[in-house]
Amino acid sequence: MDVIANLSYGFGLVFTFQNLGFCLIGCLLGTLIGVLPGIGPIATVAMLLPATYGLDPLSSLVMLAGIYYGAQYGGSTTAILINMPGETSSVVTCLDGYQMARNGRAGSALAIAALGSFFAGCVGTVFIAAFAPMLAALSQKFASPEYFALMALGLIAAVVMARGSVLKALAMIFAGLLFGIVGTDVQTGLARYTFGVSELWDGIGFLPVVMGLFGIVEVVMNLERPQERKLLDTKITGLWPNMEEFKQCWPAVIRGTGIGSLLGILPGGGAVLASFASYTTEKRLAKDPSRFGKGAPEGVAGPESANNAAAQTSFIPLLTLGIPGNVMMALMMGALIIQGMNPGAAVLDKRPDLFWGIVASMWVGNLMLLVINLPMIGMWVKVLRVPYRALFPIILVLSLIGIYTVNNSLTDIWLTAFFCLLGYMFVKFDMEPTPFVLAFILGPQMEDNLRRSMTLSRGDPMIFVNRPITLSLLLIAAFVLLLVILPAIRKKREEAFQE
Amino acid sequence: MIRLKKPQDLGAAILFILLGCVCLWFGRDYRYGTLARMGPGFFPITLSWLLIGFGIVIGGLAFSFSEGPKIAQTNWRGLLTVVVAIILFGLLINNAGLLIAAFIVPLVAAFATTEVRRKEALILSALVSIACVVVFVYGLRQPIPVFFGDY
């Protein structure tokens, strides 16, 4: 079997002292920061990005992936113990996890979350190993029109997944694409929208955009709504779920894993959506839905498995097509580019070691998290006692050092301040930043592919209709867009987001 | 009577239209080209017009249909202190070096909240500054000036 051969090749690469060490560091740092409320995985990865420059590509990606999963584990810990999601994908875990903790089942809830995540992580790894090569092989046939259509589909999907007004989300895409244009035009060499700043010739760096819009705005918003943190003072006893809980959970874990694996692949999807979808499913399927919200273990098991599975499979579009499905993957793409690699089908082709190494490291990372975190929960709880007023100045300065060290460029710092203000307005005017960031990242490639396609067809837009793959991609995009615009379905979508 | 019902959408619309206009103005010299031979202006100018068009529609709809949420109040202290801290970092890092930048920035930022405790902020900033120099310059060997241009 190819899958097994490839995976064992990957494991061989990861099981070196150095890579295991970086995986461990990544998992620990990720959990630490995931536990701290008010700082999500995006800010965490961005902050720790400079720590990876000196490493070889595999070690650095292994560490970043570790941070990513670690932050998710840490996020669910805070969701359960203090009813505060460390990050958005554990929002639903609060609903039943915290109630379980109040019922004296904190240890059990934490164990269910960890075991469910681990199971989902294992399945996710195999899923990637099985499907990524197929997708990569398919994408070998892609030319400019296909890539353009694929990116259009990805952006439309991001619109569909965005909360709130579809019109605003679409406009955010146009705005993001415009910001992506800044820099030297590849085909004519003209510097566009650079305002005489030579550092902008290569375009606006992705780190100032992501950190400004997400990391730093998050700090500002946390300052705006002061949060009380009530720590459960009950001792965490009984780290293992009892038989009854175990029986209730395992089907939820399996369903959650399935939902998460599928939703993770979709552009614009990812961990957050998967956890919501899984929770809704569990509630629908339950014999007694009224238990939910009062400490139903399925309400922890399903979403926690789903978000972890999705976190893994969301690597698939990035590693095979070079298209990041969410902001986190956009950040990973940035990390790959910094390491001098161009994400896409070429990764699997030219650097199979890197590809399989990353995939194998995902499994290793999940195992480490399981082993490290359960016994260390007591320590993580102590971290929670650090007050936010002491935390956010450190977060801010570390983020700035991270941004600065990418290019040693002051321009990036000024841009961060600009995007922090812009991001603040986005929040105030209820404008979803995710479509903006994805469009910003994909913009240059999208323009390039559109122009190539048009040159190819001598200006005939029918080129997008005459090619079967392109046509189907665009039809899917049109179809999903239509779905959200139709009022009946829009209502349902709003309901889904409210839950 | 026409009445503003979704202030958030109006704000968003103004932002979109403004951005569209800025891009049109600064992109006025970029050659548009034809479909077959797109110039450097094709993408930005088309997008700008789309953005302006969407902005007008969103802005128009803000006056009709259902009521939307109000724009939440701004905590100027938090926002401005954070932005000032970012700008201070930019001003200090190359000239004064990491040791000073990593001391001043968290110290200033600490005042973004009314809960600030002066002594605590001072001690914390000093610790952060030393830790940053040790980790980033000596540990990770990042080429950042430590103290007044001294590497």
Side-chain angles (χ1 to χ4, degrees):
Chain A
M1 273 276 284
D2 265 3
V3 176
I4 295 168
N6 283 330
L7 274 178
S8 51
Y9 170 55
F11 280 119
L13 293 167
V14 173
F15 278 109
T16 65
F17 183 70
Q18 191 193 358
N19 285 337
L20 284 179
F22 283 116
C23 191
L24 180 69
I25 295 172
C27 288
L28 283 177
L29 280 174
T31 315
L32 173 69
I33 301 189
V35 168
L36 299 173
I39 172 164
I42 292 170
T44 310
V45 171
M47 244 165 54
L48 297 175
L49 210 51
T52 63
Y53 297 154
L55 308 177
D56 65 274
L58 182 58
S59 299
S60 83
L61 284 166
V62 164
M63 182 164 148
L64 286 175
I67 293 170
Y68 179 35
Y69 306 131
Q72 292 214 323
Y73 269 70
S76 26
T77 307
T78 53
I80 291 168
L81 290 182
I82 56 166
N83 198 19
M84 198 156 126
E87 31 104 22
T88 36
S89 66
S90 29
V91 169
V92 275
T93 311
C94 287
L95 299 175
D96 280 286
Y98 182 61
Q99 294 304 324
M100 278 183 81
R102 285 186 60 183
N103 298 342
R105 304 294 304 157
S108 164
L110 290 167
I112 288 171
L115 291 169
S117 300
F118 178 67
F119 175 80
C122 295
V123 175
T125 306
V126 176
F127 201 81
I128 296 180
F131 282 95
M134 277 157 57
L135 211 59
L138 181 72
S139 72
Q140 296 279 311
K141 297 197 186 95
F142 282 16
S144 309
E146 279 80 17
Y147 272 112
F148 178 78
L150 192 66
M151 289 172 192
L153 174 60
L155 292 181
I156 295 294
V159 167
V160 177
M161 305 295 179
R163 292 166 43 248
S165 149
V166 176
L167 275 180
K168 273 202 274 185
L170 276 171
M172 285 305 265
I173 286 196
F174 301 140
L177 289 171
L178 274 171
F179 274 93
I181 286 171
V182 174
T184 311
D185 175 27
V186 191
Q187 299 193 359
T188 58
L190 181 74
R192 291 183 292 179
Y193 302 116
T194 54
F195 304 102
V197 180
S198 61
E199 270 136 330
L200 285 179
W201 285 348
D202 290 333
I204 298 174
F206 75 99
L207 211 49
V209 176
V210 172
M211 276 313 278
L213 293 182
F214 290 90
I216 294 175
V217 165
E218 202 176 358
V219 169
V220 176
M221 293 319 291
N222 282 334
L223 291 171
E224 208 148 283
R225 15 184 158 82
Q227 289 142 332
E228 283 173 51
R229 276 189 275 159
K230 274 178 257 151
L231 201 55
L232 267 182
D233 274 331
T234 48
K235 275 223 170 113
I236 301 159
T237 47
L239 214 52
W240 287 102
N242 56 34
M243 248 348 248
E244 193 199 346
E245 283 167 336
F246 192 78
K247 265 190 204 145
Q248 285 169 325
C249 284
W250 72 262
V253 167
I254 291 175
R255 281 191 292 266
T257 305
I259 292 171
S261 302
L262 290 177
L263 285 178
I265 305 178
L266 295 184
V272 182
L273 189 76
S275 62
F276 279 89
S278 163
Y279 190 77
T280 321
T281 314
E282 290 311 319
K283 210 172 163 182
R284 289 241 170 89
L285 290 176
K287 283 197 193 104
D288 177 15
S290 68
R291 285 193 305 119
F292 280 78
K294 291 177 193 154
E298 304 99 296
V300 176
E304 279 299 314
S305 317
N307 71 25
N308 210 41
Q312 304 234 307
T313 54
S314 59
F315 272 95
I316 293 180
L318 176 68
L319 291 175
T320 57
L321 304 169
I323 292 181
N326 54 42
V327 177
M328 193 61 216
M329 287 304 118
L331 214 50
M332 288 286 173
M333 182 168 160
L336 279 167
I337 292 170
I338 289 172
Q339 293 284 354
M341 311 208 333
N342 231 340
V347 175
L348 192 56
D349 237 22
K350 289 183 191 138
R351 296 293 307 267
D353 56 322
L354 214 53
F355 181 87
W356 294 110
I358 295 171
V359 174
S361 83
M362 294 174 180
W363 188 82
V364 176
N366 274 295
L367 181 67
M368 276 188 185
L369 285 166
L370 185 68
V371 178
I372 305 165
N373 278 3
L374 283 182
M376 279 175 78
I377 278 166
M379 201 193 95
W380 299 133
V381 170
K382 285 209 185 76
V383 171
L384 282 171
R385 295 187 194 271
V386 180
Y388 194 64
R389 64 162 195 278
L391 215 52
F392 79 87
I394 304 176
I395 296 172
L396 187 69
V397 76
L398 289 182
S399 311
L400 290 171
I401 295 175
I403 294 162
Y404 174 76
T405 43
V406 179
N407 296 321
N408 277 27
S409 141
L410 286 182
T411 310
D412 284 349
I413 298 295
W414 313 137
L415 282 171
T416 308
F418 171 79
F419 281 104
C420 170
L421 287 168
L422 191 68
Y424 186 79
M425 284 195 272
F426 285 176
V427 175
K428 289 287 153 169
F429 300 151
D430 196 25
M431 298 147 88
E432 192 74 12
T434 303
F436 178 90
V437 170
L438 292 184
F440 164 76
I441 304 259
L442 291 177
Q445 294 180 54
M446 223 176 151
E447 183 189 13
D448 193 39
N449 281 311
L450 176 67
R451 281 159 83 172
R452 279 165 196 260
S453 310
M454 283 299 137
T455 314
L456 209 70
S457 73
R458 299 206 177 81
D460 183 8
M462 291 304 278
I463 188 169
F464 292 114
V465 181
N466 293 336
R467 301 166 75 102
I469 299 178
T470 322
L471 181 65
S472 28
L473 287 172
L474 288 176
L475 280 179
I476 298 170
F479 179 69
V480 284
L481 192 60
L482 210 66
L483 279 185
V484 279
I485 294 172
L486 292 177
I489 296 160
R490 190 162 67 197
K491 224 185 221 163
K492 267 221 170 120
R493 173 168 161 265
E494 269 154 27
E495 272 170 28
F497 275 117
Q498 294 213 325
E499 268 190 77
Chain B
M1 200 188 92
I2 300 174
R3 199 168 59 84
L4 178 60
K5 287 188 173 155
K6 293 188 199 110
Q8 287 185 330
D9 282 15
L10 187 68
I14 292 170
L15 208 57
F16 287 139
I17 296 170
L18 201 70
L19 179 65
C21 290
V22 167
C23 288
L24 273 186
W25 173 254
F26 287 102
R28 64 191 184 279
D29 293 333
Y30 303 158
R31 195 172 50 80
Y32 193 74
T34 61
L35 266 182
R37 307 199 56 145
M38 289 182 188
F42 189 94
F43 213 57
I45 289 166
T46 312
L47 282 173
S48 301
W49 282 115
L50 275 170
L51 197 57
I52 293 170
F54 270 70
I56 291 170
V57 174
I58 293 166
L61 289 175
F63 291 94
S64 61
F65 301 124
S66 54
E67 205 84 23
K70 287 204 178 78
I71 299 174
Q73 250 199 332
T74 296
N75 169 3
W76 291 106
R77 177 177 179 150
L79 179 67
L80 292 182
T81 314
V82 168
V83 172
V84 165
I86 298 173
I87 292 171
L88 274 175
F89 181 87
L91 294 176
L92 291 172
I93 188 74
N94 276 356
N95 303 318
L98 183 63
L99 196 67
I100 290 174
F103 174 70
I104 300 284
V105 170
L107 187 64
V108 170
F111 285 87
T113 165
T114 45
E115 292 169 34
V116 62
R117 299 185 188 174
R118 285 155 198 240
K119 216 177 201 171
E120 182 191 86
L122 228 101
I123 296 168
L124 198 70
S125 307
L127 290 177
V128 168
S129 152
I130 295 164
C132 282
V133 170
V134 171
V135 171
F136 288 100
V137 180
Y138 298 109
L140 298 166
R141 296 178 188 282
Q142 294 291 331
I144 313 172
V146 176
F147 195 69
F148 288 100
D150 175 33
Y151 279 78

